[in-house]
Amino acid sequence: MFDIPRGKGGQRKNSRGKDKGESTPAKTLAGGGTRPRPKKAKSSFDTGKIVDEVLDQAYIYLGLSELDIDEKIAKSVVREVVEAVVSGYSSRPSPDSVLKRIQRNRELVNEYIAGKILESIEKPGPLTLEFLIANGGRAVIKDISRLYKLAVEYNKPELIMMLQSLWNKYGPKEMLKCPRCGFNGISPEYSCVVCGATVSEKYIRDSTGFSDKFNTYLKTASVAELREVLQLGFILVDSLRVYTPKSPEARGRVLYPVRLTRAEINLIIEEINSRDVRI
């Protein structure tokens, strides 16, 4: 079950336009006391009955009847949506009112449906895949690799482009572009979280412009930081700059470890010596 907000545009109405059954603030009485809040009215109708009445309409209205998905699974998801909507009423709503509230919260509803379908079906068919990518929003991000591979299998380049747009909008930022699939999905482990391709350290160096950033780091890092890098034998880099591995600035960022070459180690030693500090 999930919550469907009251009011238009997914926002709850203010106190002047509250849905029936919504509680109101306590009022202050003369003398400093407060009048108890009235209890929220319980539903005065059979919620199960109205859910059953609206289910088939909602199933068609949400477009699930046109997908290559088992009807039992689809209707189970739709039932949860309808139950969430109906539970927000304290008096019996009309089927039209229920459908209108679903429409007002269509983005939220579609994301929920997409998430439930992905939990229930390992390999969605082409029509269902299109529905998931077109309507799933941020709900598809955790299954990006599975959906990408299905789009490739079904030869759906337009869905791959839509997936890439969703990934750019909702996925993790600062990842490097994968040379195989084109998604910004290269992880710090040098593998693409979308298509599974792996890249070399040279690719990381070239993609981040490591050489120039390393030279800048040499001149700006403290002696303590340079010593730390010498001890660890590697350094961290992203598209912006180079970081000492234990630096607080490195926390929470997508950073790529790069092993130091013999020449880079010598440059660090020379820089330390140029500051008249023994190592």
Side-chain angles (χ1 to χ4, degrees):
M1 182 67 71
F2 73 114
D3 293 327
I4 294 287
R6 296 187 178 96
K8 293 183 179 180
Q11 299 295 325
R12 289 185 180 275
K13 295 181 180 180
N14 60 27
S15 58
R16 293 183 180 180
K18 296 190 177 207
D19 285 354
K20 292 181 180 180
E22 192 171 349
S23 61
T24 56
K27 294 183 178 180
T28 303
L29 301 176
T34 57
R35 180 178 298 161
R37 292 184 180 89
K39 292 184 178 180
K40 183 176 179 179
K42 294 183 179 180
S43 297
S44 58
F45 62 96
D46 186 338
T47 58
K49 186 175 181 180
I50 188 64
V51 168
D52 289 338
E53 290 179 9
V54 179
L55 183 61
D56 287 341
Q57 296 179 64
Y59 172 61
I60 296 172
Y61 185 72
L62 289 167
L64 300 192
S65 61
E66 301 176 3
L67 305 184
D68 44 3
I69 181 176
D70 182 86
E71 182 177 335
K72 184 177 180 180
I73 294 175
K75 283 192 173 181
S76 175
V77 177
V78 174
R79 176 175 288 276
E80 291 186 33
V81 172
V82 176
E83 285 176 346
V85 173
V86 172
S87 67
Y89 290 91
S90 57
S91 60
R92 193 182 196 281
S94 67
D96 187 55
S97 294
V98 174
L99 294 177
K100 284 182 177 179
R101 182 169 288 181
I102 289 176
Q103 179 58 34
R104 288 199 300 269
N105 297 277
R106 195 62 178 265
E107 183 176 348
L108 173 65
V109 168
N110 282 340
E111 287 190 8
Y112 179 79
I113 290 173
K116 295 297 289 186
I117 290 177
L118 286 167
E119 289 177 5
S120 304
I121 302 175
E122 180 61 29
K123 187 178 181 180
L127 292 177
T128 301
L129 180 67
E130 183 174 352
F131 173 88
L132 293 172
I133 295 174
N135 299 285
R138 69 180 73 249
V140 308
I141 296 303
K142 65 184 180 65
D143 291 285
I144 191 76
S145 179
R146 174 157 59 115
L147 297 179
Y148 170 80
K149 291 173 183 177
L150 286 173
V152 171
E153 180 181 336
Y154 298 149
N155 191 25
K156 297 287 186 179
E158 70 282 5
L159 295 186
I160 294 175
M161 291 179 63
M162 293 170 65
L163 263 182
Q164 192 168 23
S165 178
L166 289 171
W167 180 255
N168 291 339
K169 184 176 182 180
Y170 298 116
K173 311 302 179 185
E174 302 171 349
M175 283 188 170
L176 296 178
K177 184 177 181 178
C178 173
R180 178 198 287 176
C181 68
F183 284 65
N184 296 326
I186 298 297
S187 72
E189 289 73 35
Y190 290 17
S191 63
C192 179
V193 299
V194 179
C195 72
T198 57
V199 297
S200 65
E201 184 176 286
K202 182 179 184 304
Y203 181 84
I204 299 296
R205 284 174 172 265
D206 292 344
S207 297
T208 58
F210 178 79
S211 181
D212 289 341
K213 291 179 174 60
F214 176 74
N215 288 332
T216 299
Y217 174 80
L218 275 179
K219 303 302 180 183
T220 57
S222 68
V223 171
E225 289 173 325
L226 293 173
R227 284 177 169 171
E228 179 186 320
V229 169
L230 278 179
Q231 183 180 12
L232 294 173
F234 73 93
I235 206 165
L236 300 176
V237 65
D238 63 9
S239 59
L240 298 177
R241 50 173 288 198
V242 163
Y243 303 81
T244 304
K246 295 181 181 180
S247 169
E249 296 178 334
R251 296 171 187 168
R253 302 185 64 86
V254 178
L255 301 174
Y256 301 88
V258 173
R259 292 171 297 178
L260 297 172
T261 64
R262 184 69 250 177
E264 289 162 350
I265 290 174
N266 289 338
L267 287 173
I268 292 175
I269 294 174
E270 289 175 10
E271 179 62 29
I272 294 175
N273 287 337
S274 72
R275 301 185 195 183
D276 296 323
V277 177
R278 292 167 53 187
I279 63 171

mmCIF file of all heavy atoms in Angstrom, residues 172-206:
data_model
loop_
_atom_site.group_PDB
_atom_site.id
_atom_site.type_symbol
_atom_site.label_atom_id
_atom_site.label_comp_id
_atom_site.label_asym_id
_atom_site.label_seq_id
_atom_site.Cartn_x
_atom_site.Cartn_y
_atom_site.Cartn_z
ATOM 1 N N PRO A 172 22.795 8.273 -10.454
ATOM 2 C CA PRO A 172 23.921 8.912 -9.765
ATOM 3 C C PRO A 172 24.689 9.819 -10.717
ATOM 4 O O PRO A 172 24.820 9.533 -11.903
ATOM 5 C CB PRO A 172 24.781 7.726 -9.302
ATOM 6 C CG PRO A 172 24.386 6.594 -10.183
ATOM 7 C CD PRO A 172 22.948 6.810 -10.518
ATOM 8 N N LYS A 173 25.182 10.914 -10.184
ATOM 9 C CA LYS A 173 25.907 11.879 -11.003
ATOM 10 C C LYS A 173 27.412 11.597 -10.963
ATOM 11 O O LYS A 173 27.889 10.804 -10.169
ATOM 12 C CB LYS A 173 25.631 13.308 -10.516
ATOM 13 C CG LYS A 173 24.159 13.626 -10.317
ATOM 14 C CD LYS A 173 23.337 13.426 -11.584
ATOM 15 C CE LYS A 173 21.872 13.736 -11.330
ATOM 16 N NZ LYS A 173 21.035 13.429 -12.525
ATOM 17 N N GLU A 174 28.131 12.255 -11.841
ATOM 18 C CA GLU A 174 29.596 12.280 -11.847
ATOM 19 C C GLU A 174 30.255 11.008 -12.389
ATOM 20 O O GLU A 174 31.473 10.898 -12.393
ATOM 21 C CB GLU A 174 30.156 12.557 -10.439
ATOM 22 C CG GLU A 174 29.659 13.863 -9.848
ATOM 23 C CD GLU A 174 30.049 14.011 -8.384
ATOM 24 O OE1 GLU A 174 30.513 13.033 -7.780
ATOM 25 O OE2 GLU A 174 29.912 15.126 -7.865
ATOM 26 N N MET A 175 29.462 10.022 -12.851
ATOM 27 C CA MET A 175 30.074 8.828 -13.429
ATOM 28 C C MET A 175 30.571 9.123 -14.841
ATOM 29 O O MET A 175 30.007 9.947 -15.564
ATOM 30 C CB MET A 175 29.074 7.671 -13.470
ATOM 31 C CG MET A 175 28.844 7.003 -12.132
ATOM 32 S SD MET A 175 27.834 5.516 -12.313
ATOM 33 C CE MET A 175 27.994 4.802 -10.677
ATOM 34 N N LEU A 176 31.620 8.432 -15.242
ATOM 35 C CA LEU A 176 32.180 8.607 -16.574
ATOM 36 C C LEU A 176 31.350 7.855 -17.616
ATOM 37 O O LEU A 176 30.673 6.874 -17.304
ATOM 38 C CB LEU A 176 33.620 8.104 -16.604
ATOM 39 C CG LEU A 176 34.616 8.850 -15.715
ATOM 40 C CD1 LEU A 176 35.992 8.209 -15.824
ATOM 41 C CD2 LEU A 176 34.682 10.327 -16.099
ATOM 42 N N LYS A 177 31.434 8.324 -18.846
ATOM 43 C CA LYS A 177 30.669 7.724 -19.945
ATOM 44 C C LYS A 177 31.242 6.373 -20.337
ATOM 45 O O LYS A 177 32.456 6.206 -20.473
ATOM 46 C CB LYS A 177 30.678 8.668 -21.150
ATOM 47 C CG LYS A 177 29.834 8.198 -22.312
ATOM 48 C CD LYS A 177 29.842 9.235 -23.423
ATOM 49 C CE LYS A 177 28.979 8.812 -24.600
ATOM 50 N NZ LYS A 177 28.959 9.847 -25.658
ATOM 51 N N CYS A 178 30.352 5.413 -20.528
ATOM 52 C CA CYS A 178 30.773 4.074 -20.946
ATOM 53 C C CYS A 178 31.010 4.079 -22.463
ATOM 54 O O CYS A 178 30.143 4.522 -23.219
ATOM 55 C CB CYS A 178 29.702 3.055 -20.586
ATOM 56 S SG CYS A 178 30.045 1.387 -21.236
ATOM 57 N N PRO A 179 32.149 3.570 -22.927
ATOM 58 C CA PRO A 179 32.430 3.564 -24.365
ATOM 59 C C PRO A 179 31.561 2.576 -25.139
ATOM 60 O O PRO A 179 31.440 2.693 -26.361
ATOM 61 C CB PRO A 179 33.910 3.166 -24.432
ATOM 62 C CG PRO A 179 34.155 2.391 -23.177
ATOM 63 C CD PRO A 179 33.275 3.035 -22.145
ATOM 64 N N ARG A 180 30.930 1.627 -24.441
ATOM 65 C CA ARG A 180 30.101 0.648 -25.150
ATOM 66 C C ARG A 180 28.656 1.114 -25.284
ATOM 67 O O ARG A 180 28.121 1.187 -26.388
ATOM 68 C CB ARG A 180 30.122 -0.718 -24.444
ATOM 69 C CG ARG A 180 29.227 -1.746 -25.150
ATOM 70 C CD ARG A 180 28.894 -2.935 -24.253
ATOM 71 N NE ARG A 180 30.048 -3.817 -24.088
ATOM 72 C CZ ARG A 180 30.029 -4.879 -23.296
ATOM 73 N NH1 ARG A 180 28.947 -5.164 -22.583
ATOM 74 N NH2 ARG A 180 31.104 -5.636 -23.180
ATOM 75 N N CYS A 181 27.991 1.437 -24.161
ATOM 76 C CA CYS A 181 26.559 1.753 -24.205
ATOM 77 C C CYS A 181 26.265 3.247 -24.272
ATOM 78 O O CYS A 181 25.147 3.645 -24.620
ATOM 79 C CB CYS A 181 25.834 1.128 -23.008
ATOM 80 S SG CYS A 181 26.263 1.868 -21.409
ATOM 81 N N GLY A 182 27.245 4.080 -23.915
ATOM 82 C CA GLY A 182 27.040 5.523 -23.977
ATOM 83 C C GLY A 182 26.429 6.132 -22.733
ATOM 84 O O GLY A 182 26.304 7.358 -22.643
ATOM 85 N N PHE A 183 26.045 5.319 -21.755
ATOM 86 C CA PHE A 183 25.508 5.836 -20.495
ATOM 87 C C PHE A 183 26.658 6.320 -19.621
ATOM 88 O O PHE A 183 27.775 5.784 -19.680
ATOM 89 C CB PHE A 183 24.750 4.745 -19.735
ATOM 90 C CG PHE A 183 23.391 4.427 -20.272
ATOM 91 C CD1 PHE A 183 23.227 3.867 -21.527
ATOM 92 C CD2 PHE A 183 22.257 4.681 -19.510
ATOM 93 C CE1 PHE A 183 21.966 3.561 -22.019
ATOM 94 C CE2 PHE A 183 20.990 4.379 -19.990
ATOM 95 C CZ PHE A 183 20.844 3.822 -21.256
ATOM 96 N N ASN A 184 26.398 7.318 -18.782
ATOM 97 C CA ASN A 184 27.387 7.738 -17.787
ATOM 98 C C ASN A 184 27.306 6.759 -16.619
ATOM 99 O O ASN A 184 26.726 7.058 -15.582
ATOM 100 C CB ASN A 184 27.100 9.162 -17.318
ATOM 101 C CG ASN A 184 27.243 10.169 -18.438
ATOM 102 O OD1 ASN A 184 28.078 10.005 -19.318
ATOM 103 N ND2 ASN A 184 26.431 11.205 -18.436
ATOM 104 N N GLY A 185 27.910 5.592 -16.827
ATOM 105 C CA GLY A 185 27.716 4.509 -15.867
ATOM 106 C C GLY A 185 28.965 3.796 -15.405
ATOM 107 O O GLY A 185 28.859 2.733 -14.778
ATOM 108 N N ILE A 186 30.154 4.329 -15.692
ATOM 109 C CA ILE A 186 31.379 3.668 -15.246
ATOM 110 C C ILE A 186 31.560 3.880 -13.748
ATOM 111 O O ILE A 186 31.642 5.006 -13.276
ATOM 112 C CB ILE A 186 32.606 4.192 -16.010
ATOM 113 C CG1 ILE A 186 32.476 3.899 -17.505
ATOM 114 C CG2 ILE A 186 33.890 3.568 -15.464
ATOM 115 C CD1 ILE A 186 32.422 2.421 -17.839
ATOM 116 N N SER A 187 31.623 2.795 -13.017
ATOM 117 C CA SER A 187 31.747 2.849 -11.560
ATOM 118 C C SER A 187 33.215 2.951 -11.159
ATOM 119 O O SER A 187 34.115 2.746 -11.984
ATOM 120 C CB SER A 187 31.149 1.576 -10.942
ATOM 121 O OG SER A 187 32.001 0.463 -11.208
ATOM 122 N N PRO A 188 33.486 3.234 -9.876
ATOM 123 C CA PRO A 188 34.885 3.273 -9.401
ATOM 124 C C PRO A 188 35.600 1.930 -9.546
ATOM 125 O O PRO A 188 36.828 1.874 -9.423
ATOM 126 C CB PRO A 188 34.726 3.667 -7.926
ATOM 127 C CG PRO A 188 33.465 4.468 -7.900
ATOM 128 C CD PRO A 188 32.562 3.767 -8.863
ATOM 129 N N GLU A 189 34.852 0.860 -9.805
ATOM 130 C CA GLU A 189 35.460 -0.455 -10.035
ATOM 131 C C GLU A 189 35.828 -0.659 -11.502
ATOM 132 O O GLU A 189 36.177 -1.769 -11.926
ATOM 133 C CB GLU A 189 34.520 -1.566 -9.580
ATOM 134 C CG GLU A 189 34.355 -1.687 -8.069
ATOM 135 C CD GLU A 189 33.508 -0.552 -7.486
ATOM 136 O OE1 GLU A 189 32.559 -0.112 -8.171
ATOM 137 O OE2 GLU A 189 33.804 -0.102 -6.372
ATOM 138 N N TYR A 190 35.667 0.406 -12.302
ATOM 139 C CA TYR A 190 36.011 0.382 -13.736
ATOM 140 C C TYR A 190 35.044 -0.455 -14.573
ATOM 141 O O TYR A 190 35.392 -0.901 -15.664
ATOM 142 C CB TYR A 190 37.436 -0.145 -13.961
ATOM 143 C CG TYR A 190 38.559 0.757 -13.503
ATOM 144 C CD1 TYR A 190 38.335 1.802 -12.612
ATOM 145 C CD2 TYR A 190 39.855 0.570 -13.963
ATOM 146 C CE1 TYR A 190 39.371 2.624 -12.200
ATOM 147 C CE2 TYR A 190 40.903 1.388 -13.560
ATOM 148 C CZ TYR A 190 40.654 2.418 -12.671
ATOM 149 O OH TYR A 190 41.681 3.239 -12.256
ATOM 150 N N SER A 191 33.851 -0.679 -14.088
ATOM 151 C CA SER A 191 32.847 -1.423 -14.852
ATOM 152 C C SER A 191 31.580 -0.588 -14.988
ATOM 153 O O SER A 191 31.284 0.252 -14.126
ATOM 154 C CB SER A 191 32.528 -2.758 -14.176
ATOM 155 O OG SER A 191 31.963 -2.551 -12.900
ATOM 156 N N CYS A 192 30.824 -0.828 -16.056
ATOM 157 C CA CYS A 192 29.599 -0.072 -16.309
ATOM 158 C C CYS A 192 28.434 -0.722 -15.576
ATOM 159 O O CYS A 192 28.173 -1.920 -15.750
ATOM 160 C CB CYS A 192 29.304 -0.004 -17.798
ATOM 161 S SG CYS A 192 27.785 0.908 -18.192
ATOM 162 N N VAL A 193 27.722 0.048 -14.786
ATOM 163 C CA VAL A 193 26.600 -0.484 -14.019
ATOM 164 C C VAL A 193 25.387 -0.726 -14.919
ATOM 165 O O VAL A 193 24.415 -1.351 -14.490
ATOM 166 C CB VAL A 193 26.206 0.472 -12.871
ATOM 167 C CG1 VAL A 193 27.352 0.651 -11.896
ATOM 168 C CG2 VAL A 193 25.756 1.834 -13.416
ATOM 169 N N VAL A 194 25.432 -0.250 -16.157
ATOM 170 C CA VAL A 194 24.315 -0.417 -17.084
ATOM 171 C C VAL A 194 24.498 -1.638 -17.980
ATOM 172 O O VAL A 194 23.668 -2.544 -17.994
ATOM 173 C CB VAL A 194 24.112 0.845 -17.944
ATOM 174 C CG1 VAL A 194 22.956 0.642 -18.938
ATOM 175 C CG2 VAL A 194 23.841 2.049 -17.064
ATOM 176 N N CYS A 195 25.608 -1.684 -18.726
ATOM 177 C CA CYS A 195 25.797 -2.778 -19.691
ATOM 178 C C CYS A 195 26.816 -3.817 -19.247
ATOM 179 O O CYS A 195 26.934 -4.876 -19.858
ATOM 180 C CB CYS A 195 26.198 -2.212 -21.053
ATOM 181 S SG CYS A 195 27.888 -1.546 -21.126
ATOM 182 N N GLY A 196 27.581 -3.532 -18.194
ATOM 183 C CA GLY A 196 28.544 -4.502 -17.674
ATOM 184 C C GLY A 196 29.928 -4.430 -18.291
ATOM 185 O O GLY A 196 30.812 -5.202 -17.916
ATOM 186 N N ALA A 197 30.140 -3.517 -19.233
ATOM 187 C CA ALA A 197 31.461 -3.399 -19.864
ATOM 188 C C ALA A 197 32.499 -2.952 -18.843
ATOM 189 O O ALA A 197 32.177 -2.263 -17.864
ATOM 190 C CB ALA A 197 31.404 -2.400 -21.019
ATOM 191 N N THR A 198 33.746 -3.346 -19.052
ATOM 192 C CA THR A 198 34.847 -2.907 -18.190
ATOM 193 C C THR A 198 35.801 -2.038 -19.000
ATOM 194 O O THR A 198 35.931 -2.199 -20.215
ATOM 195 C CB THR A 198 35.613 -4.099 -17.603
ATOM 196 O OG1 THR A 198 36.099 -4.924 -18.667
ATOM 197 C CG2 THR A 198 34.697 -4.937 -16.706
ATOM 198 N N VAL A 199 36.454 -1.112 -18.313
ATOM 199 C CA VAL A 199 37.404 -0.221 -18.979
ATOM 200 C C VAL A 199 38.764 -0.334 -18.306
ATOM 201 O O VAL A 199 38.884 -0.844 -17.191
ATOM 202 C CB VAL A 199 36.920 1.250 -18.948
ATOM 203 C CG1 VAL A 199 35.617 1.389 -19.707
ATOM 204 C CG2 VAL A 199 36.772 1.746 -17.511
ATOM 205 N N SER A 200 39.764 0.152 -18.982
ATOM 206 C CA SER A 200 41.132 0.099 -18.460
ATOM 207 C C SER A 200 41.446 1.340 -17.633
ATOM 208 O O SER A 200 40.726 2.344 -17.687
ATOM 209 C CB SER A 200 42.126 0.009 -19.622
ATOM 210 O OG SER A 200 42.070 1.205 -20.390
ATOM 211 N N GLU A 201 42.542 1.258 -16.891
ATOM 212 C CA GLU A 201 42.987 2.429 -16.143
ATOM 213 C C GLU A 201 43.366 3.552 -17.107
ATOM 214 O O GLU A 201 43.154 4.733 -16.805
ATOM 215 C CB GLU A 201 44.174 2.080 -15.252
ATOM 216 C CG GLU A 201 44.631 3.227 -14.376
ATOM 217 C CD GLU A 201 45.739 2.845 -13.423
ATOM 218 O OE1 GLU A 201 45.446 2.149 -12.425
ATOM 219 O OE2 GLU A 201 46.901 3.239 -13.686
ATOM 220 N N LYS A 202 43.890 3.198 -18.268
ATOM 221 C CA LYS A 202 44.225 4.213 -19.272
ATOM 222 C C LYS A 202 42.978 4.989 -19.685
ATOM 223 O O LYS A 202 43.025 6.209 -19.883
ATOM 224 C CB LYS A 202 44.872 3.563 -20.493
ATOM 225 C CG LYS A 202 45.300 4.564 -21.569
ATOM 226 C CD LYS A 202 45.952 3.874 -22.758
ATOM 227 C CE LYS A 202 46.462 4.885 -23.783
ATOM 228 N NZ LYS A 202 45.407 5.796 -24.263
ATOM 229 N N TYR A 203 41.851 4.281 -19.804
ATOM 230 C CA TYR A 203 40.600 4.957 -20.176
ATOM 231 C C TYR A 203 40.203 5.965 -19.092
ATOM 232 O O TYR A 203 39.775 7.080 -19.397
ATOM 233 C CB TYR A 203 39.480 3.930 -20.367
ATOM 234 C CG TYR A 203 38.163 4.556 -20.768
ATOM 235 C CD1 TYR A 203 37.897 4.859 -22.096
ATOM 236 C CD2 TYR A 203 37.188 4.849 -19.812
ATOM 237 C CE1 TYR A 203 36.688 5.444 -22.465
ATOM 238 C CE2 TYR A 203 35.995 5.448 -20.162
ATOM 239 C CZ TYR A 203 35.744 5.737 -21.497
ATOM 240 O OH TYR A 203 34.566 6.337 -21.865
ATOM 241 N N ILE A 204 40.372 5.572 -17.836
ATOM 242 C CA ILE A 204 40.047 6.474 -16.726
ATOM 243 C C ILE A 204 40.972 7.684 -16.755
ATOM 244 O O ILE A 204 40.527 8.828 -16.596
ATOM 245 C CB ILE A 204 40.174 5.747 -15.369
ATOM 246 C CG1 ILE A 204 39.207 4.554 -15.297
ATOM 247 C CG2 ILE A 204 39.929 6.715 -14.211
ATOM 248 C CD1 ILE A 204 37.745 4.924 -15.350
ATOM 249 N N ARG A 205 42.243 7.445 -16.963
ATOM 250 C CA ARG A 205 43.211 8.542 -17.022
ATOM 251 C C ARG A 205 42.869 9.517 -18.152
ATOM 252 O O ARG A 205 42.841 10.731 -17.964
ATOM 253 C CB ARG A 205 44.624 7.983 -17.221
ATOM 254 C CG ARG A 205 45.248 7.361 -15.966
ATOM 255 C CD ARG A 205 46.590 6.707 -16.294
ATOM 256 N NE ARG A 205 47.293 6.272 -15.090
ATOM 257 C CZ ARG A 205 48.219 6.989 -14.450
ATOM 258 N NH1 ARG A 205 48.551 8.188 -14.909
ATOM 259 N NH2 ARG A 205 48.798 6.523 -13.369
ATOM 260 N N ASP A 206 42.597 8.963 -19.328
ATOM 261 C CA ASP A 206 42.315 9.815 -20.487
ATOM 262 C C ASP A 206 40.990 10.569 -20.316
ATOM 263 O O ASP A 206 40.885 11.752 -20.658
ATOM 264 C CB ASP A 206 42.261 8.972 -21.762
ATOM 265 C CG ASP A 206 43.630 8.403 -22.151
ATOM 266 O OD1 ASP A 206 44.645 8.906 -21.623
ATOM 267 O OD2 ASP A 206 43.660 7.467 -22.974
#
